[in-house]
Amino acid sequence: MNSSKPYKILGIQQIAIGGPDKVALRKLWVNMLGLTVTGNFVSERENVDEDICAIGRGPHKIEVDLMQPLDPDKKPAVHTTPLNHVGLWVDDLPMAVEWMTANGVRFAPGGIRKGAAGYDICFIHPKSNAEFPIAGEGVLIELVQAPAEVIAALS
């Protein structure tokens, strides 16, 4: 493995919490913990209805997504893993994906695309396979292209 990485992971961008009913999740995260709901994202393709919440401000803001499935019988089953995924800021997403893929990291289908918050994203698969022996070991990990102000603040 090449140890000189051409990218830098800057910090946590988000955590995503899944459940059968996001109203119950909001009772804790919004009503009790005081997070602010900043948006909503609904996707048939991703089988999700999520409230996008935030803690902190500016480049130190961390997104907390409260997710429920549109259809609990369809995949992906965003509610079956309570801690659905962790999102990490990265300074150069295309370079990170290229380098990690060349070094055996398995990515989930879908490639780099716009995420719910408007940033380019992709996912490291939770399970490895013979072709790509490095994965999230049961955890779905989202890589998120950091905007310039986050790169400057966290580099």
Side-chain angles (χ1 to χ4, degrees), residues 31-52:
N31 299 352
M32 296 295 114
L33 298 176
L35 274 68
T36 303
V37 177
T38 61
N40 179 263
F41 177 72
V42 177
S43 170
E44 293 280 340
R45 183 178 139 219
E46 295 181 27
N47 190 35
V48 69
D49 176 0
E50 72 183 60
D51 286 342
I52 301 168

Side-chain angles (χ1 to χ4, degrees), residues 13-152:
Q13 185 269 337
Q14 70 172 264
I15 60 169
I17 311 293
D21 180 3
K22 68 181 182 175
V23 171
L25 295 170
R26 275 197 311 259
K27 286 178 185 174
L28 173 65
W29 290 92
V30 176
N31 299 352
M32 296 295 114
L33 298 176
L35 274 68
T36 303
V37 177
T38 61
N40 179 263
F41 177 72
V42 177
S43 170
E44 293 280 340
R45 183 178 139 219
E46 295 181 27
N47 190 35
V48 69
D49 176 0
E50 72 183 60
D51 286 342
I52 301 168
C53 302
I55 187 169
R57 287 192 301 244
H60 300 288
K61 178 176 79 174
I62 295 175
E63 185 179 307
V64 178
D65 295 338
L66 307 178
M67 307 186 317
Q68 72 180 33
L70 292 172
D71 182 340
D73 298 322
K74 288 187 177 175
K75 300 278 184 189
V78 300
H79 61 301
T80 59
T81 306
L83 177 57
N84 185 274
H85 66 270
V86 174
L88 302 174
W89 288 122
V90 60
D91 65 348
D92 187 337
L93 181 60
M95 182 58 71
V97 171
E98 179 183 325
W99 189 88
M100 285 188 218
T101 300
N103 283 279
V105 174
R106 183 179 181 196
F107 284 86
I112 295 174
R113 59 197 180 273
K114 283 279 183 240
Y119 304 110
D120 284 350
I121 58 113
C122 69
F123 290 91
I124 295 175
H125 201 287
K127 297 178 183 173
S128 61
N129 62 19
E131 185 180 2
F132 296 101
I134 301 169
E137 296 301 318
V139 176
L140 183 64
I141 301 165
E142 183 175 6
L143 298 180
V144 184
Q145 175 61 59
E149 64 272 14
V150 171
I151 293 170

